[in-house]
Amino acid sequence: MTLSGPSLPLASGTGIKGSSGWKCLGQRLRFLPPGTCETLAPVPAGAERWLCGRPQSPEWNWGKLRLSHHCQNRDFGPEWVPPEGEEKMGLAREGGLVPLTLPEDSFQSRFRMVTRTPPRLLELAAQSLLKDEDLAIAALEYLPTELFPLLFMEALAGRCDKTLKAMVRAWPFARLPLGGLTQMPHQKAFQAVLDGLDCLLARKVRPRRWKLWVLDLRNASRNFWSMWSGARVHECPLTGPVAEDSLRMKGPSGPLTVFVDLCLRERALDERLANLIRWARRRRSLHLCCKKVTIFGMPVQNIKEVLNLVQLGCVLEAEVHLTWQLSTLGKFAPYLGRMSNVQTLVLSHIHKPSSSEEQKHIGRFTSQLLRLRHLRKLRMESPAFLEGCLGQMLRCLKSPLEALSITNCQLTESDLACLSQCRSISQLKELDLSGLSLARFSPKPLQVLLETVAATVQDLVLEYCGLSDTHLEAILPALSRCHQLQTFSVRGNHLSVALMGRLLRHTAGLSRLSLELYPAPLESYSSRGIIHPGRFAQAQAELLGILKDLGLPRTIWLRTNPCPHCGSKIVYDSDPFVSC
């Protein structure tokens, strides 16, 4: 390691100046007693000829002396600057610290002291072993189990694909959490892992140390690599992050299982996912399991080909974020029915063209819901086909829901009545009906709905529903009994100051309510529908006065309707700011 700079006087009074000074410092460093190993960042030019003679061993403790490259100086090589408050540094040695005093002169403008994490001895040993891949592979038979994760990461970083393939064959854990690595393996390394699995699957006699039966490609199990590599031992329990990674795991009890989260985008699969799919097609003794399937865009025929390879009973979350015709949903429905353990289902933008087969497609979809007995969260964005058919879908739900979201579509009043009488919403915690046009409906179905969920609901969102004072007046008694309520939003509706005042009083007893979003009162707008700053300030002052009279700390958010000229929406709180 090298140092460069003009002068470093020691506290003892002996100065180090020029080349003779660096020689003196080098001689002093050679005789420091054994300590903890630390390394200095490499720097070119300067005093390397005086310091290179020091023993290269883990006996050196450089204490607080920390260097890293900052910039270049043509006279002294790299320039360094000390941080504020660290003018005095020293080298650790037995009996105390030998201080190094940095004088207040131009020298300080050229030196910076920072911390570098040196490689550990195990990392250096692994890197040295991997220089000869044949030797590394031969050593796997005798390598302690605890060293496998570290050697695997070093082989991955060094692109030692031959060693990776051999390590997969000899992997001593039940699970290989490849997706938990900070960076997923490059394509060749990923193929080496698959080749290693091929060797295992082809063997009739299992290797002595074979315990691997799960390849996990999900973005999880990061603690596995941290714990076994020693990178963050203090953050990881000694028992390991998951039970499957125990050193005492039994051998594989069934087919090899591959866990992966499927994300299907546009027309082409991700290269790594495409490689996995091709590999899985050729192996019958393989379970490809997905906990989560997300579809953003892909022809339905390609989606079906991928899903045919997956153990759909493993799926817990299914999300479809693209525009489908109702007929396409009907084709997808049988695959949905095979996801018998799904807990979260998200569907968006299902169009309903006029067709004589409309009811047949709706029936295909709703009939498959009968098989989803573990469904807990159902979210539907713009489901145009639900108008007049909501009751048919709700009757097919066989489990109590925790979250229900039906937004931005048209429903009939009878649909809302069916929802209020549905047995599956008796334990509902989240209800979002934003964007449903309820203006022409009687307040009664909404009142009954809120009474049904009052005991359990925590998040209630009724944004842009066309609600008026009459609707809110009807639900006030039920709303005051929602003691679990944490979030309440009715922004985008048409409410007066008087009604909002009564609303604030009725919700004053809801101790868990922490997020409240309301519309700017009707009195805040001009006849042209534009927010009027003076009127808004007056309405706000009236509402704040009500909050003060209630005597409880509380924050409400008021949001304007979109400006008819620029379309912007402005958020107001207790310190109003008016802008268009």
Side-chain angles (χ1 to χ4, degrees):
M1 297 302 165
T2 63
L3 298 172
S4 64
S7 176
L8 280 174
L10 292 177
S12 61
T14 304
I16 301 179
K17 299 180 180 179
S19 61
S20 61
W22 289 114
K23 181 178 180 180
C24 179
L25 177 59
Q27 292 173 344
R28 287 173 182 267
L29 295 177
R30 290 172 61 110
F31 294 98
L32 287 179
T36 304
C37 177
E38 290 195 23
T39 59
L40 291 176
V43 297
E48 64 269 25
R49 63 181 179 274
W50 304 115
L51 297 180
C52 64
R54 65 180 179 84
Q56 300 293 321
S57 71
E59 297 177 352
W60 289 91
N61 183 344
W62 291 79
K64 295 184 179 179
L65 186 60
R66 298 165 294 167
L67 304 177
S68 74
H69 186 65
H70 178 55
C71 59
Q72 287 289 86
N73 177 275
R74 62 185 180 186
D75 296 324
F76 298 104
E79 296 180 348
W80 313 89
V81 179
E84 295 181 5
E86 291 196 19
E87 288 80 8
K88 293 187 177 182
M89 297 262 169
L91 302 178
R93 62 179 300 172
E94 189 175 0
L97 196 70
V98 179
L100 293 173
T101 304
L102 302 180
E104 299 287 345
D105 57 15
S106 61
F107 170 83
Q108 291 190 4
S109 67
R110 299 195 297 276
F111 281 77
R112 182 181 301 278
M113 316 292 272
V114 295
T115 302
R116 283 287 185 93
T117 302
R120 297 174 302 117
L121 290 179
L122 281 178
E123 294 170 349
L124 294 174
Q127 294 168 10
S128 177
L129 179 61
L130 290 170
K131 290 179 180 179
D132 186 338
E133 287 201 72
D134 292 333
L135 179 61
I137 293 171
L140 293 179
E141 180 70 19
Y142 311 99
L143 191 69
T145 300
E146 295 86 345
L147 299 184
F148 264 79
L150 174 62
L151 188 62
F152 189 92
M153 287 189 290
E154 292 294 339
L156 190 63
R159 296 181 175 265
C160 302
D161 301 335
K162 184 178 176 182
T163 304
L164 286 174
K165 178 179 176 180
M167 291 197 72
V168 170
R169 297 198 303 266
W171 193 250
F173 300 93
R175 181 186 296 264
L176 175 54
L178 209 59
L181 291 165
T182 304
Q183 292 184 346
M184 277 292 287
H186 53 88
Q187 190 57 36
K188 285 188 176 181
F190 185 64
Q191 185 60 51
V193 171
L194 297 183
D195 291 343
L197 292 175
D198 276 338
C199 293
L200 285 178
L201 296 174
R203 290 189 179 186
K204 295 182 179 180
V205 179
R206 295 175 175 175
R208 179 178 59 87
R209 296 182 63 168
W210 182 18
K211 295 181 180 179
L212 178 63
W213 63 282
V214 172
L215 173 63
D216 196 342
L217 301 178
R218 298 169 298 172
N219 186 17
S221 302
R222 292 188 182 276
N223 279 352
F224 171 88
W225 301 102
S226 300
M227 181 182 73
W228 293 115
S229 69
R232 292 181 302 148
V233 174
H234 60 284
E235 297 182 15
C236 307
L238 292 176
T239 55
V242 289
E244 291 90 342
D245 295 323
S246 169
L247 292 176
R248 299 293 187 264
M249 276 297 298
K250 297 179 180 180
S253 56
L256 178 70
T257 301
V258 179
F259 283 106
V260 61
D261 286 334
L262 280 181
C263 184
L264 307 180
R265 296 179 179 272
E266 300 178 356
R267 294 188 176 274
L269 288 172
D270 169 78
E271 183 180 5
R272 187 177 291 105
L273 180 58
N275 194 12
L276 176 66
I277 295 297
R278 287 193 298 268
W279 180 77
R281 282 196 183 107
R282 301 192 298 268
R283 278 134 194 96
R284 295 183 178 180
S285 59
L286 174 71
H287 283 172
L288 187 59
C289 294
C290 274
K291 299 290 185 179
K292 183 175 182 178
V293 176
T294 307
I295 303 173
F296 286 103
M298 179 176 284
V300 67
Q301 185 59 37
N302 293 2
I303 294 173
K304 292 166 65 174
E305 290 177 3
V306 173
L307 294 184
N308 282 331
L309 297 173
V310 175
Q311 300 289 323
L312 294 178
C314 297
V315 176
L316 301 180
E317 298 179 48
E319 300 183 7
V320 178
H321 298 283
L322 75 163
T323 300
W324 270 357
Q325 299 295 332
L326 182 58
S327 58
T328 305
L329 179 63
K331 296 176 182 177
F332 178 74
Y335 293 89
L336 179 62
R338 288 164 54 190
M339 301 177 189
S340 55
N341 291 304
V342 73
Q343 299 176 7
T344 299
L345 175 62
V346 179
L347 297 174
S348 63
H349 300 93
I350 308 298
H351 291 179
K352 183 186 73 170
S354 298
S355 170
S356 58
E357 297 186 338
E358 175 184 318
Q359 283 301 318
K360 182 178 71 173
H361 296 315
I362 293 175
R364 284 179 179 175
F365 169 68
T366 56
S367 64
Q368 297 302 325
L369 294 179
L370 291 168
R371 307 178 65 180
L372 309 185
R373 296 185 175 274
H374 301 280
L375 187 63
R376 295 293 179 266
K377 298 179 181 180
L378 177 60
R379 308 187 192 278
M380 307 183 76
E381 165 74 14
S382 301
F385 69 96
L386 278 186
E387 185 176 8
C389 301
L390 182 60
Q392 178 182 347
M393 185 189 78
L394 294 175
R395 286 191 293 272
C396 295
L397 298 177
K398 297 303 179 182
S399 60
L401 295 177
E402 295 179 0
L404 175 64
S405 174
I406 302 175
T407 59
N408 299 316
C409 67
Q410 296 293 327
L411 295 180
T412 64
E413 190 165 340
S414 61
D415 286 332
L416 194 61
C418 289
L419 177 59
S420 63
Q421 298 167 10
C422 177
R423 291 179 297 178
S424 293
I425 68 169
S426 60
Q427 301 177 25
L428 208 61
K429 296 180 180 180
E430 303 175 27
L431 177 62
D432 186 354
L433 301 179
S434 297
L436 302 187
S437 181
L438 307 179
R440 67 185 189 278
F441 293 175
S442 163
K444 187 65 176 178
L446 186 60
Q447 177 187 351
V448 175
L449 174 61
L450 197 55
E451 289 172 351
T452 303
V453 301
T456 59
V457 68
Q458 297 177 3
D459 300 314
L460 179 61
V461 184
L462 302 170
E463 298 178 352
Y464 300 99
C465 293
L467 299 177
S468 63
D469 285 5
T470 304
H471 294 94
L472 268 295
E473 192 75 55
I475 68 172
L476 285 180
L479 186 62
S480 64
R481 296 196 296 272
C482 297
H483 295 290
Q484 304 299 318
L485 196 62
Q486 300 174 12
T487 300
F488 178 56
S489 179
V490 288
R491 64 181 182 175
N493 294 294
H494 312 296
L495 309 179
S496 66
V497 171
L499 185 282
M500 290 181 64
R502 291 195 293 276
L503 188 57
L504 292 176
R505 292 188 179 95
H506 273 80
T507 54
L510 305 182
S511 59
R512 298 190 178 187
L513 188 58
S514 58
L515 180 59
E516 304 174 64
L517 297 95
Y518 301 101
L522 290 174
E523 292 85 349
S524 304
Y525 296 92
S526 68
S527 58
R528 299 174 57 196
I530 301 174
I531 191 74
H532 190 284
R535 295 178 184 178
F536 177 79
Q538 183 179 353
Q540 187 184 42
E542 186 174 341
L543 295 176
L544 290 175
I546 294 174
L547 292 177
K548 290 180 180 179
D549 292 341
L550 293 174
L552 296 172
R554 197 168 169 183
T555 301
I556 65 172
W557 296 82
L558 303 181
R559 188 164 190 174
T560 68
N561 290 329
C563 173
H565 300 291
C566 68
S568 65
K569 301 176 183 179
I570 310 303
V571 178
Y572 296 90
D573 56 14
S574 57
D575 184 17
F577 173 78
V578 180
S579 176
C580 183

